[in-house]
Amino acid sequence: MSETLPVYALPSGTGQLPHSALLEWPGLTAEQIAVYVQIARELGFCLNTLPPTLTPRQTAVVLDVSEGTLEQWRCVSADLRPNCPVLPFQKTGRSVRYPVWEVAKFIRLHTFVRSGQRLEGVCA
């Protein structure tokens, strides 16, 4: 039985990564780069134009949840609902933004190869 690659993994045999600037970022794995590529594609950006932070609407599109779900995640106390996902955000006045690296980390933390088995190298 062959195992399928996670949705955000780069296909094997990919000779060149989509954006050479990401190769200069120390410590990024191929899977992490693939998540950035997927986020950019889903939002209609290329990696050169991907903004450093995303609006709640953009984040909702990437995560395939509603903006209301993101609002609930922001407002729910970790003490009251320990199983509620935590997605860090920035708030200045009324503006709420989600850093792309936090969205990418969130996706990686919630990507499983099979039920109950996380991707290798991903710590909870």
Side-chain angles (χ1 to χ4, degrees), residues 1-25:
M1 176 178 213
S2 66
E3 292 195 12
T4 58
L5 290 173
V7 175
Y8 293 100
L10 288 174
S12 60
T14 304
Q16 190 172 356
L17 293 172
H19 190 257
S20 60
L22 284 176
L23 295 176
E24 299 170 8
W25 292 4

Side-chain angles (χ1 to χ4, degrees), residues 11-89:
S12 60
T14 304
Q16 190 172 356
L17 293 172
H19 190 257
S20 60
L22 284 176
L23 295 176
E24 299 170 8
W25 292 4
L28 279 184
T29 65
E31 290 84 13
Q32 290 167 325
I33 293 171
V35 173
Y36 280 93
V37 170
Q38 186 65 31
I39 290 170
R41 281 186 190 151
E42 286 182 17
L43 296 175
F45 292 105
C46 66
L47 286 174
N48 293 334
T49 60
L50 184 64
T53 59
L54 303 175
T55 65
R57 179 169 289 164
Q58 291 170 325
T59 305
V61 167
V62 169
L63 297 178
D64 195 25
V65 298
S66 71
E67 289 182 64
T69 298
L70 292 176
E71 184 177 346
Q72 285 294 317
W73 291 355
R74 286 193 308 267
C75 298
V76 170
S77 168
D79 297 332
L80 296 176
R81 301 212 24 217
N83 295 331
C84 192
V86 177
L87 180 59
F89 61 95

